[in-house]
Each structure stands twice: as structure tokens, then as C-alpha cells.
Amino acid sequence: MSGLRILVPVKRVIDYAVKPRVNRAQTAVETTSVKHSMNPFDELSIEEAVRLRERKTVPVEEIIAFSAGPPKAADILRTAMAMGADRGIHVQVDEQTPLEPLGVAKLLKKVVEASNSNLVILGKQSIDDDAGQTGQMLAGLLDWAQATQASKVEIGDGGEVTVVKEVDGGVETVRAKLPMVITTDLRLNEPRYASLPNIMKAKKKPLEKKTLKDFDLEAAPRLKTVKVTEPPPRKGGVKVEDVDGMIGKLKELGAL
């Protein structure tokens, strides 16, 4: 088979260590002056693409990092290239009107066709909206095989892909032929840190800037967020002396 041409979508999100806060207007989560970083599941995707190259079981012709977002999304593309991606594509999108999962999937389909990719590896979800839909939608639009929530990926020299995926109560092993869409789960690998020399090298790697018009797409959202509120504060726990006391308390609360 010919080599792998891997597309890895990455997203700029609020850093996982930051506690999100609702803005004063209660229209969205506050993002001003908040630390952002690459979506953790996307870090796994970049790492897995680089490991596929390092294993040398199948030649990897190119690893492309892709992101659609505000100008600062270019920073995470540079991080992806420092981790091992060959080049980046940045589609600039207004931060106030972010793309919905279907819009992202349609955009990725255009990018796949333009770059002639035969494997897409992306996070199973982003930690901001937690939709978990883009990979499945993309596979449907492309009419490609898919494997979600991958915890292990192996590709044979004949183009057969074996994916171990986590399911309720255990794991499931699926096999398919390229081209394919794979979404990554946390147990897949441990992403490497981008070293300083690689960060410097990434500054010289090509980063292509495009707009939605270049792909003949519109970003008009189909959904409107009416109101965002924080969950009510949790009530403190209650200590009981013994099992009978616990049962009595549960009955009092209506849990039994």
C-alpha cells in the first residue's frame, strides 16, 4: 500500500486545569484572560500519528495538523508541529460564532479531499462542549470506516487497521481497511512534551492560513444558546454512626 497521509484536527480550548466561569451576561463561559491550550484528546491524536511514523510498520508520508478557530489557534498548531506534525492548516473563524460539530465535519471533509488524506485521527470529544459528534459525522460524510474511543491502534502493511476501543464493561476490537476515521480516548498513549529545539523548528514549518470562503462553506450556527448558568452548590455531607443510621438517613431523604 502507499503511505499514510494523516490529518489530525486540533482545537484550542480552555486549559483543563482552569475552572470555567460563566460570564456576567450568562450567555457563555468566560474566555477573556483565561489560559487556553490544546484539547487533551487532540494531544493524544497528534502523539498517535507521530508514533505510527516512528513504528515504521507503514510509511507515513505526511502528518497535517488542522484547526478552525480565532487567530490564537495558530499557537496550538505550532505546538502540534513541535510534537511532530509536518505542517499546519489554520481556518480563521470568529470566536463569537464558533463552528458547530456538523460544520466542523463538513469543513474537515473538504480538507481531507484537498489534502488527499487517507486517515483522520481526532479526539473523541473536546472538553469545552463535550459534544463527541464530529468524528462520527465526518465518517458518515466521507463514507469511511470509523472506530471511536480508541485505546490501541495498529496498522498492517496491507492497510488493515486494528483498533481496540473502550465500551461499557470492557473493550471491543474492530478491524477495517483504510481510509478510516479514528477518535482517541485517554488510555491510548501519553503525549510527549514539545522540546525547546522542536519548538524552534516548528516556527519554520509551513502554516497555511485559510477562511471558510476558501472551502465554499458558511459558519451560520443552527443553535442559539439562550442562557448559561452554573450548577447549584453541592450540599455538605452528613456523618452517620452505623449502617442503621445510614439507612434511616437515606429513607429520610427519599432515596430508599
Side-chain angles (χ1 to χ4, degrees), residues 110-181:
K110 297 272 189 178
V111 176
V112 166
E113 293 170 345
S115 61
N116 199 27
S117 300
N118 56 5
L119 177 62
V120 181
I121 307 177
L122 68 162
K124 70 172 185 177
Q125 66 194 80
S126 58
I127 62 172
D128 50 5
D129 59 20
D130 281 322
Q133 299 172 340
T134 304
Q136 294 89 327
M137 289 179 172
L138 175 61
L141 292 172
L142 290 169
D143 195 24
W144 284 9
Q146 64 171 304
T148 59
Q149 300 172 221
S151 59
K152 185 178 181 180
V153 177
E154 293 180 346
I155 302 180
D157 54 11
E160 184 179 78
V161 184
T162 301
V163 178
V164 178
K165 50 183 291 188
E166 298 192 353
V167 296
D168 292 340
V171 296
E172 178 182 28
T173 301
V174 297
R175 290 187 179 89
K177 287 279 190 178
L178 293 172
M180 191 173 185
V181 175

Side-chain angles (χ1 to χ4, degrees), residues 1-6 57-62 116-119 155-157 159 178:
M1 61 166 288
S2 58
L4 293 174
R5 297 176 299 280
I6 308 174
T57 305
V58 178
V60 175
E61 294 180 5
E62 187 176 42
N116 199 27
S117 300
N118 56 5
L119 177 62
I155 302 180
D157 54 11
L178 293 172

Side-chain angles (χ1 to χ4, degrees), residues 7-8 10 64-68 73 77 81 87-92 111 114-115 206-210 215:
L7 176 68
V8 185
V10 295
I64 304 173
F66 169 87
S67 188
L77 285 170
M81 288 188 282
R87 64 185 177 98
I89 301 175
H90 179 203
V91 175
Q92 296 196 27
V111 176
S115 61
L207 177 57
E208 192 175 359
K209 294 185 180 293
K210 289 188 172 289
F215 295 97

Side-chain angles (χ1 to χ4, degrees), residues 39-242:
N39 181 50
F41 292 101
D42 300 338
E43 290 182 339
L44 301 169
S45 303
I46 286 287
E47 176 66 25
E48 192 62 24
V50 175
R51 290 191 184 192
L52 287 173
R53 168 177 280 164
E54 292 173 344
R55 289 173 197 153
K56 299 181 180 180
T57 305
V58 178
V60 175
E61 294 180 5
E62 187 176 42
I63 300 173
I64 304 173
F66 169 87
S67 188
K72 289 185 178 180
D75 295 340
I76 65 166
L77 285 170
R78 291 295 181 192
T79 300
M81 288 188 282
M83 292 175 67
D86 299 307
R87 64 185 177 98
I89 301 175
H90 179 203
V91 175
Q92 296 196 27
V93 178
D94 185 2
E95 193 170 10
Q96 303 304 317
T97 56
L99 290 172
E100 294 172 351
L102 181 59
V104 176
K106 289 180 177 179
L107 176 56
L108 288 174
K109 179 177 182 291
K110 297 272 189 178
V111 176
V112 166
E113 293 170 345
S115 61
N116 199 27
S117 300
N118 56 5
L119 177 62
V120 181
I121 307 177
L122 68 162
K124 70 172 185 177
Q125 66 194 80
S126 58
I127 62 172
D128 50 5
D129 59 20
D130 281 322
Q133 299 172 340
T134 304
Q136 294 89 327
M137 289 179 172
L138 175 61
L141 292 172
L142 290 169
D143 195 24
W144 284 9
Q146 64 171 304
T148 59
Q149 300 172 221
S151 59
K152 185 178 181 180
V153 177
E154 293 180 346
I155 302 180
D157 54 11
E160 184 179 78
V161 184
T162 301
V163 178
V164 178
K165 50 183 291 188
E166 298 192 353
V167 296
D168 292 340
V171 296
E172 178 182 28
T173 301
V174 297
R175 290 187 179 89
K177 287 279 190 178
L178 293 172
M180 191 173 185
V181 175
I182 298 174
T183 70
T184 58
D185 207 350
L186 288 175
R187 290 176 180 81
L188 178 60
N189 58 51
E190 184 175 343
R192 70 194 66 193
Y193 287 102
S195 65
L196 182 58
N198 287 337
I199 291 173
M200 300 305 295
K201 290 177 183 177
K203 293 181 179 180
K204 298 180 180 180
K205 291 183 178 181
L207 177 57
E208 192 175 359
K209 294 185 180 293
K210 289 188 172 289
T211 64
L212 291 173
K213 290 183 180 180
D214 293 326
F215 295 97
D216 195 26
L217 287 174
E218 295 182 1
R222 300 188 178 199
L223 301 175
K224 179 181 179 181
T225 301
V226 178
K227 189 176 183 180
V228 178
T229 58
E230 293 186 3
R234 296 181 63 180
K235 296 181 180 179
V238 177
K239 290 184 178 181
V240 294
E241 296 296 331
D242 50 30

